[in-house]
Amino acid sequence: MLFLFCGNAVISLDVLIAFILDAEQNEGSLLLPSKKRFQASCKSAAKTNWAHSRCIRIFGFGFMTSAFETSDQQLVEQPVFKLFLRYSLPTIAAMLVTGIYVVVDGIFIGHFIGEDGLAAIMVAYPIGSVLYALGNLVGMGASSLVSIKLGQKLPGAAQKIVGNAFLLCLLMTFLTSVLGLFFADDLLHSLGAKEPILSMASTYLRWYFALGGFAILTMAFSTLLRNDGQPKLVTGIMILGGLLNIVLDWLLIVVIPWELTGAAIATMLSQAVTAALCLQHFFRNGTRLKITLNSMLPSAAVLRDIFQIGTPGFLMYLYLSVVLTFHNMAFLFLGSTVHVAAYAIVSYVEAFFYLVFEGIALGMQPITSFNFGAERIDRVKESRNIALASTIVIAALGMLLVYVSPELLVAAFSSHNPVLEETAVEGMQLYFWGLPLEGMLLVGAIYFQSVNQASVANWLTGGKLILIAAVLALFCLLFGATGVWISLPVTAAALTIYMFWKLKQQAGQQIIVAN
């Protein structure tokens, strides 16, 4: 099960450009020197990320050319809405497929394992999600560096980065497997898990960490593959992995009743196939980023820079994990397993929409980044407005579905459990009014990064982590379970007000492009 985090496997490198602007240029460093190169970086990164076009052989099925051949001239002259569709639709398609099989995963657990299964997954998954956070760290950091080096016409340095990224994934696989197997029970105890949830979650995590290296590799190398000019190939691989996960869920949960053991193995086997298909590109003869023993020799400068640039991506995943954990702890503090199971259902439904929001944000970002570098601020604002409007429309449709037919959504994950269904419906109605706010915050954070205002983006993401902890603790004590349900929407509302205040400030002054 990939839950809310799977969609970020296809995140664009440019989202983190703003995080590396303040790095000093040290000897041997692979980072950008300073703000002086931001304008050039926006152009080269956007071009490298989307405009690479070359034929490659895919699984022996022939040749495929990247659809993203947008030139510099098109990025500054083509209608913004047309560009937005070109960049957004493939990513949204991959996100939707991912969302569908995530939801199906939850349906299998809810119907064939039941309330305890949903609660155990909800408690265990935030711990297991560290695998995706680490994979995202490597993928975001390495792909950013690779694209910068390719933009500088240094393919040898880019190849070295990919080799070190692969080495780093292997080291992380070993460490997480050992630590996960030995300390999973201690972590579950610290979160307040009790029997029978404890033993079910423990079993799930042991298998999850034992095979977790495949998740790390998928996260890292799907990003690297996409940024090497193969977004369609990544989309196809994601679709295949999703379909395989559904089949394996049916086989290992329904046909062979392995319960959460089957759920964990099904997820990781599908991740293994996905990782292998992504990695084959980097082991082919003739690829400019081929992984070799020489490229895998560790370089302190490369590893340092991967960690430095990839850390914001790691923290983004960590934030989502912490939010889930805080909610679980609050519900367990109130002594209600059924609320944890209900929260799992709500999160499954939310994940589907959240992934679409990510697709919208990532479709906007290369356009705003490139046009910011080109000093076409009018096009930057137009792209931002299209993304925000699209987010509001999708969120409105989601809210309509949730508030008109919540029983229908809940029934998909519950096997005739009236108490669970009633609790989940109540939770949805208290929770989902924040859906458009969450979507706008995601788009807003990526927008501010792309226009060299990382401090605002950091407040919209890092500040959210601090604020949700305080609001959850206060509301849990004051309002009980109702307070837990409304904590995230209230937090999102406060940060959305801050975001629009900053947008209003920005509208009253000229956006400054670093020289």
Side-chain angles (χ1 to χ4, degrees):
M1 181 178 69
L2 303 187
F3 232 90
L4 294 174
F5 313 117
C6 51
N8 289 287
V10 295
I11 197 165
S12 167
L13 70 98
D14 304 275
V15 175
L16 295 180
I17 285 291
F19 283 94
I20 59 177
L21 296 178
D22 296 323
E24 297 297 329
Q25 185 175 19
N26 300 314
E27 182 177 354
S29 175
L30 297 173
L31 296 178
L32 290 178
S34 67
K35 292 184 179 180
K36 294 181 179 180
R37 295 194 57 186
F38 181 78
Q39 183 174 350
S41 299
C42 289
K43 293 179 179 179
S44 64
K47 183 176 180 180
T48 302
N49 190 19
W50 297 100
H52 261 311
S53 175
R54 60 191 179 92
C55 293
I56 63 168
R57 184 170 297 277
I58 303 174
F59 316 137
F61 295 153
F63 293 89
M64 181 182 198
T65 304
S66 171
F68 295 92
E69 299 177 349
T70 306
S71 66
D72 291 2
Q73 186 175 5
Q74 288 175 317
L75 277 168
V76 296
E77 293 182 0
Q78 198 172 77
V80 173
F81 185 71
K82 184 176 181 180
L83 284 171
F84 179 78
L85 292 178
R86 175 178 291 184
Y87 285 118
S88 296
L89 291 180
T91 304
I92 292 174
M95 299 289 189
L96 284 173
V97 171
T98 300
I100 290 171
Y101 80 77
V102 168
V103 169
V104 171
D105 203 30
I107 291 173
F108 276 111
I109 294 171
H111 278 275
F112 294 99
I113 302 177
E115 174 188 323
D116 287 346
L118 287 172
I121 283 287
M122 201 61 198
V123 172
Y125 189 77
I127 300 173
S129 67
V130 69
L131 300 171
Y132 300 104
L134 291 171
N136 200 44
L137 183 154
V138 177
M140 297 286 277
S143 62
S144 297
L145 293 170
V146 165
S147 291
I148 291 168
K149 287 303 174 184
L150 291 177
Q152 295 173 344
K153 310 299 182 184
L154 296 173
Q159 183 184 15
K160 181 71 173 180
I161 295 164
V162 173
N164 272 236
F166 183 65
L167 174 65
L168 193 55
C169 286
L170 297 181
L171 293 175
M172 287 178 173
T173 296
F174 174 76
L175 290 175
T176 54
S177 296
V178 173
L179 293 175
L181 288 172
F182 280 100
F183 296 105
D185 286 354
D186 293 332
L187 290 171
L188 290 170
H189 277 294
S190 68
L191 296 179
K194 301 176 181 178
E195 296 295 346
I197 305 304
L198 177 61
S199 59
M200 296 177 71
S202 176
T203 300
Y204 179 82
L205 281 180
R206 289 181 184 280
W207 281 100
Y208 213 78
F209 279 109
L211 303 173
F214 298 126
I216 295 175
L217 287 167
T218 292
M219 286 294 294
F221 281 89
S222 62
T223 306
L224 282 162
L225 180 58
R226 176 173 293 273
N227 287 333
D228 196 30
Q230 304 303 330
K232 276 193 171 182
L233 176 57
V234 173
T235 299
I237 292 173
M238 294 292 288
I239 291 172
L240 179 61
L243 294 174
L244 180 60
N245 193 55
I246 293 172
V247 173
L248 290 175
D249 270 341
W250 172 78
L251 179 63
L252 300 180
I253 296 176
V254 181
V255 178
I256 306 173
W258 284 354
E259 298 189 334
L260 291 190
T261 296
I265 293 175
T267 294
M268 288 307 167
L269 287 182
S270 64
Q271 290 287 340
V273 172
T274 303
L277 294 178
C278 289
L279 281 169
Q280 61 84 31
H281 171 80
F282 298 97
F283 282 96
R284 289 189 305 108
N285 291 325
T287 181
R288 59 183 174 175
L289 299 178
K290 183 177 181 180
I291 296 172
T292 63
L293 289 177
N294 184 59
S295 70
M296 289 177 61
L297 292 176
S299 164
V302 172
L303 294 174
R304 181 191 66 232
D305 291 343
I306 288 175
F307 271 98
Q308 184 172 342
I309 299 178
T311 295
F314 174 81
L315 294 177
M316 176 179 62
Y317 268 60
L318 191 63
Y319 157 74
L320 294 171
S321 176
V322 169
V323 168
L324 293 175
T325 301
F326 282 169
H327 279 79
N328 291 336
M329 292 177 69
F331 282 130
L332 289 172
F333 172 77
L334 295 171
S336 178
T337 301
V338 70
H339 279 93
V340 178
Y343 180 52
I345 294 175
V346 171
S347 296
Y348 272 117
V349 177
E350 183 191 27
F352 188 83
F353 295 103
Y354 195 91
L355 295 174
V356 178
F357 297 151
E358 282 196 87
I360 292 171
L362 296 178
M364 169 204 70
Q365 190 277 324
I367 306 170
T368 55
S369 178
F370 191 94
N371 281 279
F372 178 75
E375 300 187 38
R376 291 295 307 273
I377 305 305
D378 57 324
R379 294 172 64 82
V380 172
K381 293 180 178 180
E382 184 180 356
S383 177
R384 175 202 67 197
N385 293 342
I386 291 173
L388 286 173
S390 301
T391 299
I392 292 171
V393 170
I394 295 299
L397 293 174
M399 291 177 67
L400 181 65
L401 181 61
V402 166
Y403 286 102
V404 171
S405 303
E407 296 85 2
L408 181 64
L409 294 172
V410 171
F413 299 92
S414 175
S415 181
H416 307 295
N417 186 329
V419 176
L420 174 59
E421 292 173 6
E422 181 181 352
T423 304
V425 168
E426 179 186 5
M428 278 188 177
Q429 293 173 339
L430 292 169
Y431 187 88
F432 265 87
W433 63 269
L435 188 64
L437 306 176
E438 285 286 296
M440 287 190 290
L441 284 175
L442 177 59
V443 172
I446 292 179
Y447 164 73
F448 279 110
Q449 285 177 328
S450 70
V451 296
N452 196 20
Q453 294 189 27
S455 61
V456 181
N458 288 340
W459 273 109
L460 295 178
T461 52
K464 193 175 182 182
L465 182 60
I466 300 172
L467 192 57
I468 185 61
V471 173
L472 256 175
L474 179 62
F475 280 25
C476 178
L477 294 175
L478 293 178
F479 309 115
T482 299
V484 178
W485 285 119
I486 65 174
S487 293
L488 188 61
V490 168
T491 300
L495 288 170
T496 301
I497 293 171
Y498 168 76
M499 181 186 76
F500 277 102
W501 175 61
K502 299 303 292 186
L503 287 173
K504 184 178 180 180
Q505 280 189 329
Q506 189 185 77
Q509 60 189 16
Q510 182 68 32
I511 300 177
I512 298 174
V513 180
N515 294 318

